[in-house]
PDB file of all heavy atoms in Angstrom:
ATOM      1  N   ARG B1216     -10.810 -81.827 -54.660  1.00  0.00           N
ATOM      2  CA  ARG B1216     -10.353 -81.239 -53.390  1.00  0.00           C
ATOM      3  C   ARG B1216      -8.865 -80.940 -53.492  1.00  0.00           C
ATOM      4  O   ARG B1216      -8.115 -81.737 -54.054  1.00  0.00           O
ATOM      5  CB  ARG B1216     -10.581 -82.235 -52.235  1.00  0.00           C
ATOM      6  CG  ARG B1216     -11.971 -82.184 -51.584  1.00  0.00           C
ATOM      7  CD  ARG B1216     -12.125 -81.080 -50.540  1.00  0.00           C
ATOM      8  NE  ARG B1216     -11.150 -81.141 -49.467  1.00  0.00           N
ATOM      9  CZ  ARG B1216     -11.297 -81.819 -48.335  1.00  0.00           C
ATOM     10  NH1 ARG B1216     -12.400 -82.498 -48.117  1.00  0.00           N
ATOM     11  NH2 ARG B1216     -10.353 -81.801 -47.405  1.00  0.00           N
ATOM     12  N   ASN B1250     -14.529 -87.246 -59.432  1.00  0.00           N
ATOM     13  CA  ASN B1250     -14.107 -86.594 -58.189  1.00  0.00           C
ATOM     14  C   ASN B1250     -12.648 -86.939 -57.947  1.00  0.00           C
ATOM     15  O   ASN B1250     -12.267 -88.108 -58.024  1.00  0.00           O
ATOM     16  CB  ASN B1250     -14.965 -87.093 -57.028  1.00  0.00           C
ATOM     17  CG  ASN B1250     -16.399 -86.631 -57.175  1.00  0.00           C
ATOM     18  OD1 ASN B1250     -16.778 -85.592 -56.668  1.00  0.00           O
ATOM     19  ND2 ASN B1250     -17.203 -87.388 -57.926  1.00  0.00           N
ATOM     20  N   VAL B1251     -11.864 -85.908 -57.642  1.00  0.00           N
ATOM     21  CA  VAL B1251     -10.425 -86.117 -57.471  1.00  0.00           C
ATOM     22  C   VAL B1251      -9.988 -85.617 -56.089  1.00  0.00           C
ATOM     23  O   VAL B1251     -10.345 -84.507 -55.687  1.00  0.00           O
ATOM     24  CB  VAL B1251      -9.632 -85.349 -58.562  1.00  0.00           C
ATOM     25  CG1 VAL B1251      -8.134 -85.459 -58.323  1.00  0.00           C
ATOM     26  CG2 VAL B1251      -9.997 -85.870 -59.952  1.00  0.00           C
ATOM     27  N   ILE B1252      -9.240 -86.465 -55.396  1.00  0.00           N
ATOM     28  CA  ILE B1252      -8.601 -86.031 -54.144  1.00  0.00           C
ATOM     29  C   ILE B1252      -7.174 -85.663 -54.530  1.00  0.00           C
ATOM     30  O   ILE B1252      -6.376 -86.523 -54.905  1.00  0.00           O
ATOM     31  CB  ILE B1252      -8.631 -87.153 -53.079  1.00  0.00           C
ATOM     32  CG1 ILE B1252     -10.094 -87.559 -52.790  1.00  0.00           C
ATOM     33  CG2 ILE B1252      -7.926 -86.691 -51.801  1.00  0.00           C
ATOM     34  CD1 ILE B1252     -10.239 -88.736 -51.836  1.00  0.00           C
ATOM     35  N   GLY B1253      -6.865 -84.364 -54.488  1.00  0.00           N
ATOM     36  CA  GLY B1253      -5.617 -83.860 -55.057  1.00  0.00           C
ATOM     37  C   GLY B1253      -4.397 -84.055 -54.162  1.00  0.00           C
ATOM     38  O   GLY B1253      -4.512 -84.458 -52.992  1.00  0.00           O
ATOM     39  N   ASN B1254      -3.231 -83.723 -54.706  1.00  0.00           N
ATOM     40  CA  ASN B1254      -1.965 -83.931 -53.994  1.00  0.00           C
ATOM     41  C   ASN B1254      -1.845 -83.090 -52.725  1.00  0.00           C
ATOM     42  O   ASN B1254      -1.102 -83.437 -51.808  1.00  0.00           O
ATOM     43  CB  ASN B1254      -0.785 -83.619 -54.921  1.00  0.00           C
ATOM     44  CG  ASN B1254      -0.840 -82.205 -55.467  1.00  0.00           C
ATOM     45  OD1 ASN B1254      -1.540 -81.945 -56.444  1.00  0.00           O
ATOM     46  ND2 ASN B1254      -0.142 -81.291 -54.840  1.00  0.00           N
ATOM     47  N   GLY B1255      -2.580 -81.977 -52.665  1.00  0.00           N
ATOM     48  CA  GLY B1255      -2.473 -81.100 -51.499  1.00  0.00           C
ATOM     49  C   GLY B1255      -3.259 -81.585 -50.287  1.00  0.00           C
ATOM     50  O   GLY B1255      -3.142 -81.022 -49.195  1.00  0.00           O
ATOM     51  N   VAL B1256      -4.041 -82.650 -50.485  1.00  0.00           N
ATOM     52  CA  VAL B1256      -4.894 -83.166 -49.401  1.00  0.00           C
ATOM     53  C   VAL B1256      -4.081 -84.142 -48.542  1.00  0.00           C
ATOM     54  O   VAL B1256      -3.158 -84.797 -49.027  1.00  0.00           O
ATOM     55  CB  VAL B1256      -6.124 -83.900 -50.012  1.00  0.00           C
ATOM     56  CG1 VAL B1256      -6.994 -84.546 -48.940  1.00  0.00           C
ATOM     57  CG2 VAL B1256      -6.946 -82.932 -50.859  1.00  0.00           C
ATOM     58  N   ILE B1258      -4.623 -87.547 -46.176  1.00  0.00           N
ATOM     59  CA  ILE B1258      -5.673 -88.576 -46.112  1.00  0.00           C
ATOM     60  C   ILE B1258      -5.456 -89.518 -44.939  1.00  0.00           C
ATOM     61  O   ILE B1258      -4.372 -90.090 -44.777  1.00  0.00           O
ATOM     62  CB  ILE B1258      -5.681 -89.411 -47.412  1.00  0.00           C
ATOM     63  CG1 ILE B1258      -5.894 -88.502 -48.630  1.00  0.00           C
ATOM     64  CG2 ILE B1258      -6.756 -90.496 -47.352  1.00  0.00           C
ATOM     65  CD1 ILE B1258      -5.848 -89.228 -49.960  1.00  0.00           C
ATOM     66  N   LEU B1281     -14.195 -91.854 -58.588  1.00  0.00           N
ATOM     67  CA  LEU B1281     -13.259 -91.254 -57.635  1.00  0.00           C
ATOM     68  C   LEU B1281     -11.824 -91.622 -57.984  1.00  0.00           C
ATOM     69  O   LEU B1281     -11.520 -92.791 -58.257  1.00  0.00           O
ATOM     70  CB  LEU B1281     -13.576 -91.736 -56.205  1.00  0.00           C
ATOM     71  CG  LEU B1281     -12.642 -91.190 -55.112  1.00  0.00           C
ATOM     72  CD1 LEU B1281     -12.885 -89.694 -54.879  1.00  0.00           C
ATOM     73  CD2 LEU B1281     -12.837 -91.951 -53.797  1.00  0.00           C
ATOM     74  N   LYS B1282     -10.964 -90.613 -57.958  1.00  0.00           N
ATOM     75  CA  LYS B1282      -9.543 -90.835 -58.222  1.00  0.00           C
ATOM     76  C   LYS B1282      -8.741 -90.150 -57.119  1.00  0.00           C
ATOM     77  O   LYS B1282      -9.113 -89.071 -56.663  1.00  0.00           O
ATOM     78  CB  LYS B1282      -9.167 -90.231 -59.580  1.00  0.00           C
ATOM     79  CG  LYS B1282      -9.889 -90.911 -60.737  1.00  0.00           C
ATOM     80  CD  LYS B1282      -9.565 -90.257 -62.052  1.00  0.00           C
ATOM     81  CE  LYS B1282     -10.044 -91.102 -63.225  1.00  0.00           C
ATOM     82  NZ  LYS B1282     -11.434 -91.559 -63.111  1.00  0.00           N
ATOM     83  N   VAL B1283      -7.648 -90.797 -56.718  1.00  0.00           N
ATOM     84  CA  VAL B1283      -6.862 -90.269 -55.602  1.00  0.00           C
ATOM     85  C   VAL B1283      -5.431 -90.008 -56.073  1.00  0.00           C
ATOM     86  O   VAL B1283      -4.816 -90.876 -56.707  1.00  0.00           O
ATOM     87  CB  VAL B1283      -6.838 -91.284 -54.429  1.00  0.00           C
ATOM     88  CG1 VAL B1283      -6.081 -90.710 -53.233  1.00  0.00           C
ATOM     89  CG2 VAL B1283      -8.252 -91.696 -54.023  1.00  0.00           C
ATOM     90  N   SER B1284      -4.910 -88.840 -55.740  1.00  0.00           N
ATOM     91  CA  SER B1284      -3.547 -88.503 -56.148  1.00  0.00           C
ATOM     92  C   SER B1284      -2.520 -89.351 -55.397  1.00  0.00           C
ATOM     93  O   SER B1284      -2.590 -89.488 -54.178  1.00  0.00           O
ATOM     94  CB  SER B1284      -3.273 -87.027 -55.863  1.00  0.00           C
ATOM     95  OG  SER B1284      -1.885 -86.786 -56.023  1.00  0.00           O
ATOM     96  N   ARG B1285      -1.566 -89.860 -56.134  1.00  0.00           N
ATOM     97  CA  ARG B1285      -0.465 -90.602 -55.491  1.00  0.00           C
ATOM     98  C   ARG B1285       0.377 -89.682 -54.619  1.00  0.00           C
ATOM     99  O   ARG B1285       1.078 -90.126 -53.728  1.00  0.00           O
ATOM    100  CB  ARG B1285       0.463 -91.212 -56.557  1.00  0.00           C
ATOM    101  CG  ARG B1285      -0.139 -92.369 -57.298  1.00  0.00           C
ATOM    102  CD  ARG B1285       0.945 -93.147 -58.048  1.00  0.00           C
ATOM    103  NE  ARG B1285       0.333 -94.264 -58.739  1.00  0.00           N
ATOM    104  CZ  ARG B1285      -0.140 -94.208 -59.978  1.00  0.00           C
ATOM    105  NH1 ARG B1285      -0.054 -93.090 -60.665  1.00  0.00           N
ATOM    106  NH2 ARG B1285      -0.704 -95.260 -60.526  1.00  0.00           N
ATOM    107  N   LYS B1286       0.323 -88.389 -54.903  1.00  0.00           N
ATOM    108  CA  LYS B1286       1.184 -87.459 -54.152  1.00  0.00           C
ATOM    109  C   LYS B1286       0.518 -86.919 -52.890  1.00  0.00           C
ATOM    110  O   LYS B1286       1.135 -86.142 -52.162  1.00  0.00           O
ATOM    111  CB  LYS B1286       1.616 -86.300 -55.052  1.00  0.00           C
ATOM    112  CG  LYS B1286       2.523 -86.738 -56.206  1.00  0.00           C
ATOM    113  CD  LYS B1286       3.133 -85.535 -56.924  1.00  0.00           C
ATOM    114  CE  LYS B1286       4.097 -85.970 -58.005  1.00  0.00           C
ATOM    115  NZ  LYS B1286       3.426 -86.449 -59.224  1.00  0.00           N
ATOM    116  N   ALA B1287      -0.728 -87.301 -52.636  1.00  0.00           N
ATOM    117  CA  ALA B1287      -1.372 -86.863 -51.383  1.00  0.00           C
ATOM    118  C   ALA B1287      -0.673 -87.562 -50.221  1.00  0.00           C
ATOM    119  O   ALA B1287      -0.275 -88.727 -50.337  1.00  0.00           O
ATOM    120  CB  ALA B1287      -2.853 -87.222 -51.410  1.00  0.00           C
ATOM    121  N   HIS B1288      -0.531 -86.859 -49.097  1.00  0.00           N
ATOM    122  CA  HIS B1288       0.174 -87.445 -47.947  1.00  0.00           C
ATOM    123  C   HIS B1288      -0.764 -88.233 -47.047  1.00  0.00           C
ATOM    124  O   HIS B1288      -1.964 -87.935 -46.954  1.00  0.00           O
ATOM    125  CB  HIS B1288       0.883 -86.343 -47.152  1.00  0.00           C
ATOM    126  CG  HIS B1288       2.209 -85.981 -47.758  1.00  0.00           C
ATOM    127  ND1 HIS B1288       3.397 -86.203 -47.120  1.00  0.00           N
ATOM    128  CD2 HIS B1288       2.517 -85.457 -48.970  1.00  0.00           C
ATOM    129  CE1 HIS B1288       4.396 -85.819 -47.913  1.00  0.00           C
ATOM    130  NE2 HIS B1288       3.883 -85.359 -49.034  1.00  0.00           N
ATOM    131  N   LEU B1289      -0.191 -89.238 -46.395  1.00  0.00           N
ATOM    132  CA  LEU B1289      -0.978 -90.110 -45.512  1.00  0.00           C
ATOM    133  C   LEU B1289      -0.892 -89.644 -44.065  1.00  0.00           C
ATOM    134  O   LEU B1289       0.207 -89.317 -43.569  1.00  0.00           O
ATOM    135  CB  LEU B1289      -0.442 -91.548 -45.594  1.00  0.00           C
ATOM    136  CG  LEU B1289      -0.674 -92.275 -46.918  1.00  0.00           C
ATOM    137  CD1 LEU B1289       0.103 -93.602 -46.920  1.00  0.00           C
ATOM    138  CD2 LEU B1289      -2.163 -92.540 -47.138  1.00  0.00           C
ATOM    139  N   ARG B1331       3.433 -90.970 -48.735  1.00  0.00           N
ATOM    140  CA  ARG B1331       2.410 -90.547 -49.681  1.00  0.00           C
ATOM    141  C   ARG B1331       1.584 -91.743 -50.152  1.00  0.00           C
ATOM    142  O   ARG B1331       2.031 -92.901 -50.021  1.00  0.00           O
ATOM    143  CB  ARG B1331       3.054 -89.834 -50.867  1.00  0.00           C
ATOM    144  CG  ARG B1331       3.750 -88.558 -50.432  1.00  0.00           C
ATOM    145  CD  ARG B1331       4.332 -87.798 -51.594  1.00  0.00           C
ATOM    146  NE  ARG B1331       5.438 -88.496 -52.239  1.00  0.00           N
ATOM    147  CZ  ARG B1331       6.031 -88.090 -53.350  1.00  0.00           C
ATOM    148  NH1 ARG B1331       5.626 -86.982 -53.952  1.00  0.00           N
ATOM    149  NH2 ARG B1331       7.023 -88.767 -53.870  1.00  0.00           N
ATOM    150  N   VAL B1332       0.436 -91.425 -50.716  1.00  0.00           N
ATOM    151  CA  VAL B1332      -0.457 -92.492 -51.188  1.00  0.00           C
ATOM    152  C   VAL B1332       0.281 -93.436 -52.134  1.00  0.00           C
ATOM    153  O   VAL B1332       0.153 -94.657 -52.030  1.00  0.00           O
ATOM    154  CB  VAL B1332      -1.705 -91.873 -51.870  1.00  0.00           C
ATOM    155  CG1 VAL B1332      -2.502 -92.931 -52.615  1.00  0.00           C
ATOM    156  CG2 VAL B1332      -2.579 -91.170 -50.832  1.00  0.00           C
ATOM    157  N   GLY B1333       1.101 -92.877 -53.033  1.00  0.00           N
ATOM    158  CA  GLY B1333       1.821 -93.709 -54.003  1.00  0.00           C
ATOM    159  C   GLY B1333       2.766 -94.702 -53.341  1.00  0.00           C
ATOM    160  O   GLY B1333       3.087 -95.749 -53.919  1.00  0.00           O
ATOM    161  N   ASP B1334       3.191 -94.392 -52.123  1.00  0.00           N
ATOM    162  CA  ASP B1334       4.116 -95.288 -51.413  1.00  0.00           C
ATOM    163  C   ASP B1334       3.469 -96.624 -51.064  1.00  0.00           C
ATOM    164  O   ASP B1334       4.173 -97.609 -50.841  1.00  0.00           O
ATOM    165  CB  ASP B1334       4.633 -94.629 -50.126  1.00  0.00           C
ATOM    166  CG  ASP B1334       5.515 -93.422 -50.413  1.00  0.00           C
ATOM    167  OD1 ASP B1334       6.145 -93.411 -51.491  1.00  0.00           O
ATOM    168  OD2 ASP B1334       5.550 -92.501 -49.577  1.00  0.00           O
ATOM    169  N   ILE B1335       2.146 -96.658 -51.011  1.00  0.00           N
ATOM    170  CA  ILE B1335       1.500 -97.934 -50.641  1.00  0.00           C
ATOM    171  C   ILE B1335       1.689 -98.985 -51.739  1.00  0.00           C
ATOM    172  O   ILE B1335       1.487-100.168 -51.511  1.00  0.00           O
ATOM    173  CB  ILE B1335      -0.005 -97.788 -50.260  1.00  0.00           C
ATOM    174  CG1 ILE B1335      -0.866 -97.429 -51.482  1.00  0.00           C
ATOM    175  CG2 ILE B1335      -0.190 -96.765 -49.157  1.00  0.00           C
ATOM    176  CD1 ILE B1335      -2.365 -97.364 -51.158  1.00  0.00           C
ATOM    177  N   GLU B1336       2.101 -98.533 -52.928  1.00  0.00           N
ATOM    178  CA  GLU B1336       2.358 -99.479 -54.018  1.00  0.00           C
ATOM    179  C   GLU B1336       3.791-100.027 -53.962  1.00  0.00           C
ATOM    180  O   GLU B1336       4.141-100.924 -54.715  1.00  0.00           O
ATOM    181  CB  GLU B1336       2.133 -98.785 -55.379  1.00  0.00           C
ATOM    182  CG  GLU B1336       0.686 -98.345 -55.582  1.00  0.00           C
ATOM    183  CD  GLU B1336       0.484 -97.469 -56.826  1.00  0.00           C
ATOM    184  OE1 GLU B1336       1.302 -96.557 -57.063  1.00  0.00           O
ATOM    185  OE2 GLU B1336      -0.489 -97.703 -57.548  1.00  0.00           O
ATOM    186  N   MET B1379      -7.280 -99.274 -49.697  1.00  0.00           N
ATOM    187  CA  MET B1379      -6.872 -98.129 -50.510  1.00  0.00           C
ATOM    188  C   MET B1379      -6.151 -98.582 -51.782  1.00  0.00           C
ATOM    189  O   MET B1379      -6.199 -97.919 -52.811  1.00  0.00           O
ATOM    190  CB  MET B1379      -5.927 -97.275 -49.667  1.00  0.00           C
ATOM    191  CG  MET B1379      -6.096 -95.825 -49.921  1.00  0.00           C
ATOM    192  SD  MET B1379      -5.089 -94.913 -48.758  1.00  0.00           S
ATOM    193  CE  MET B1379      -5.336 -93.334 -49.456  1.00  0.00           C
ATOM    194  N   LEU B1382      -8.258 -98.655 -54.806  1.00  0.00           N
ATOM    195  CA  LEU B1382      -8.817 -97.427 -55.384  1.00  0.00           C
ATOM    196  C   LEU B1382      -8.045 -97.046 -56.646  1.00  0.00           C
ATOM    197  O   LEU B1382      -6.954 -97.563 -56.896  1.00  0.00           O
ATOM    198  CB  LEU B1382      -8.743 -96.281 -54.367  1.00  0.00           C
ATOM    199  CG  LEU B1382      -9.575 -96.444 -53.100  1.00  0.00           C
ATOM    200  CD1 LEU B1382      -9.347 -95.264 -52.157  1.00  0.00           C
ATOM    201  CD2 LEU B1382     -11.062 -96.571 -53.427  1.00  0.00           C
ATOM    202  N   VAL B1383      -8.601 -96.109 -57.407  1.00  0.00           N
ATOM    203  CA  VAL B1383      -7.913 -95.653 -58.614  1.00  0.00           C
ATOM    204  C   VAL B1383      -6.918 -94.556 -58.199  1.00  0.00           C
ATOM    205  O   VAL B1383      -7.317 -93.461 -57.813  1.00  0.00           O
ATOM    206  CB  VAL B1383      -8.915 -95.120 -59.657  1.00  0.00           C
ATOM    207  CG1 VAL B1383      -8.182 -94.606 -60.891  1.00  0.00           C
ATOM    208  CG2 VAL B1383      -9.920 -96.200 -60.025  1.00  0.00           C
ATOM    209  N   LEU B1384      -5.646 -94.891 -58.251  1.00  0.00           N
ATOM    210  CA  LEU B1384      -4.604 -93.934 -57.864  1.00  0.00           C
ATOM    211  C   LEU B1384      -4.020 -93.309 -59.131  1.00  0.00           C
ATOM    212  O   LEU B1384      -3.700 -94.015 -60.091  1.00  0.00           O
ATOM    213  CB  LEU B1384      -3.495 -94.646 -57.067  1.00  0.00           C
ATOM    214  CG  LEU B1384      -3.960 -95.483 -55.868  1.00  0.00           C
ATOM    215  CD1 LEU B1384      -2.757 -96.061 -55.119  1.00  0.00           C
ATOM    216  CD2 LEU B1384      -4.839 -94.684 -54.916  1.00  0.00           C
ATOM    217  N   ILE B1385      -3.888 -91.996 -59.115  1.00  0.00           N
ATOM    218  CA  ILE B1385      -3.439 -91.310 -60.339  1.00  0.00           C
ATOM    219  C   ILE B1385      -2.396 -90.233 -60.017  1.00  0.00           C
ATOM    220  O   ILE B1385      -2.224 -89.848 -58.868  1.00  0.00           O
ATOM    221  CB  ILE B1385      -4.619 -90.623 -61.082  1.00  0.00           C
ATOM    222  CG1 ILE B1385      -5.296 -89.580 -60.172  1.00  0.00           C
ATOM    223  CG2 ILE B1385      -5.619 -91.646 -61.583  1.00  0.00           C
ATOM    224  CD1 ILE B1385      -6.195 -88.612 -60.905  1.00  0.00           C
ATOM    225  N   ASP B1386      -1.771 -89.738 -61.081  1.00  0.00           N
ATOM    226  CA  ASP B1386      -0.945 -88.536 -60.965  1.00  0.00           C
ATOM    227  C   ASP B1386      -1.895 -87.395 -61.306  1.00  0.00           C
ATOM    228  O   ASP B1386      -2.097 -87.064 -62.478  1.00  0.00           O
ATOM    229  CB  ASP B1386       0.250 -88.628 -61.919  1.00  0.00           C
ATOM    230  CG  ASP B1386       1.154 -89.793 -61.522  1.00  0.00           C
ATOM    231  OD1 ASP B1386       1.390 -89.974 -60.313  1.00  0.00           O
ATOM    232  OD2 ASP B1386       1.594 -90.535 -62.418  1.00  0.00           O
ATOM    233  N   SER B1387      -2.491 -86.818 -60.274  1.00  0.00           N
ATOM    234  CA  SER B1387      -3.670 -85.978 -60.508  1.00  0.00           C
ATOM    235  C   SER B1387      -3.357 -84.687 -61.262  1.00  0.00           C
ATOM    236  O   SER B1387      -4.218 -84.147 -61.941  1.00  0.00           O
ATOM    237  CB  SER B1387      -4.391 -85.681 -59.190  1.00  0.00           C
ATOM    238  OG  SER B1387      -3.519 -85.077 -58.283  1.00  0.00           O
ATOM    239  N   GLU B1388      -2.096 -84.215 -61.167  1.00  0.00           N
ATOM    240  CA  GLU B1388      -1.782 -82.975 -61.900  1.00  0.00           C
ATOM    241  C   GLU B1388      -1.897 -83.203 -63.408  1.00  0.00           C
ATOM    242  O   GLU B1388      -2.383 -82.330 -64.138  1.00  0.00           O
ATOM    243  CB  GLU B1388      -0.401 -82.420 -61.491  1.00  0.00           C
ATOM    244  CG  GLU B1388       0.811 -83.270 -61.848  1.00  0.00           C
ATOM    245  CD  GLU B1388       1.079 -84.417 -60.847  1.00  0.00           C
ATOM    246  OE1 GLU B1388       0.112 -84.900 -60.229  1.00  0.00           O
ATOM    247  OE2 GLU B1388       2.242 -84.843 -60.726  1.00  0.00           O
ATOM    248  N   HIS B1389      -1.478 -84.386 -63.860  1.00  0.00           N
ATOM    249  CA  HIS B1389      -1.596 -84.684 -65.300  1.00  0.00           C
ATOM    250  C   HIS B1389      -3.063 -84.858 -65.677  1.00  0.00           C
ATOM    251  O   HIS B1389      -3.516 -84.389 -66.712  1.00  0.00           O
ATOM    252  CB  HIS B1389      -0.822 -85.968 -65.647  1.00  0.00           C
ATOM    253  CG  HIS B1389       0.668 -85.763 -65.573  1.00  0.00           C
ATOM    254  ND1 HIS B1389       1.324 -84.897 -66.392  1.00  0.00           N
ATOM    255  CD2 HIS B1389       1.609 -86.310 -64.759  1.00  0.00           C
ATOM    256  CE1 HIS B1389       2.622 -84.908 -66.102  1.00  0.00           C
ATOM    257  NE2 HIS B1389       2.811 -85.762 -65.105  1.00  0.00           N
ATOM    258  N   TYR B1390      -3.791 -85.543 -64.806  1.00  0.00           N
ATOM    259  CA  TYR B1390      -5.203 -85.794 -65.080  1.00  0.00           C
ATOM    260  C   TYR B1390      -5.982 -84.479 -65.208  1.00  0.00           C
ATOM    261  O   TYR B1390      -6.702 -84.260 -66.185  1.00  0.00           O
ATOM    262  CB  TYR B1390      -5.805 -86.669 -63.970  1.00  0.00           C
ATOM    263  CG  TYR B1390      -7.277 -86.909 -64.143  1.00  0.00           C
ATOM    264  CD1 TYR B1390      -7.741 -87.855 -65.050  1.00  0.00           C
ATOM    265  CD2 TYR B1390      -8.212 -86.170 -63.418  1.00  0.00           C
ATOM    266  CE1 TYR B1390      -9.101 -88.058 -65.231  1.00  0.00           C
ATOM    267  CE2 TYR B1390      -9.571 -86.366 -63.585  1.00  0.00           C
ATOM    268  CZ  TYR B1390     -10.017 -87.312 -64.489  1.00  0.00           C
ATOM    269  OH  TYR B1390     -11.364 -87.498 -64.669  1.00  0.00           O
ATOM    270  N   ILE B1391      -5.791 -83.579 -64.223  1.00  0.00           N
ATOM    271  CA  ILE B1391      -6.547 -82.313 -64.212  1.00  0.00           C
ATOM    272  C   ILE B1391      -6.186 -81.472 -65.442  1.00  0.00           C
ATOM    273  O   ILE B1391      -7.050 -80.885 -66.091  1.00  0.00           O
ATOM    274  CB  ILE B1391      -6.245 -81.504 -62.912  1.00  0.00           C
ATOM    275  CG1 ILE B1391      -6.723 -82.273 -61.680  1.00  0.00           C
ATOM    276  CG2 ILE B1391      -6.824 -80.096 -62.978  1.00  0.00           C
ATOM    277  CD1 ILE B1391      -8.183 -82.176 -61.369  1.00  0.00           C
ATOM    278  N   GLY B1434      -2.119 -77.437 -54.774  1.00  0.00           N
ATOM    279  CA  GLY B1434      -2.780 -78.664 -54.324  1.00  0.00           C
ATOM    280  C   GLY B1434      -3.352 -79.507 -55.451  1.00  0.00           C
ATOM    281  O   GLY B1434      -3.851 -80.615 -55.212  1.00  0.00           O
ATOM    282  N   LEU B1435      -3.285 -78.966 -56.681  1.00  0.00           N
ATOM    283  CA  LEU B1435      -3.778 -79.753 -57.816  1.00  0.00           C
ATOM    284  C   LEU B1435      -2.825 -79.701 -59.007  1.00  0.00           C
ATOM    285  O   LEU B1435      -3.001 -80.447 -59.975  1.00  0.00           O
ATOM    286  CB  LEU B1435      -5.159 -79.234 -58.268  1.00  0.00           C
ATOM    287  CG  LEU B1435      -6.329 -79.544 -57.340  1.00  0.00           C
ATOM    288  CD1 LEU B1435      -7.574 -78.775 -57.771  1.00  0.00           C
ATOM    289  CD2 LEU B1435      -6.632 -81.047 -57.313  1.00  0.00           C
TER     290      LEU B1435
END
Side-chain angles (χ1 to χ4, degrees):
R1216 273 278 304 271
N1250 293 268
V1251 175
I1252 301 175
N1254 57 278
V1256 176
I1258 302 177
L1281 179 71
K1282 296 177 168 49
V1283 183
S1284 169
R1285 288 195 179 90
K1286 294 190 176 77
H1288 278 245
L1289 291 171
R1331 296 183 293 174
V1332 168
D1334 293 332
I1335 69 176
E1336 296 171 316
M1379 216 173 173
L1382 296 177
V1383 178
L1384 308 183
I1385 60 164
D1386 296 318
S1387 57
E1388 65 278 29
H1389 289 297
Y1390 177 79
I1391 296 279
L1435 288 170

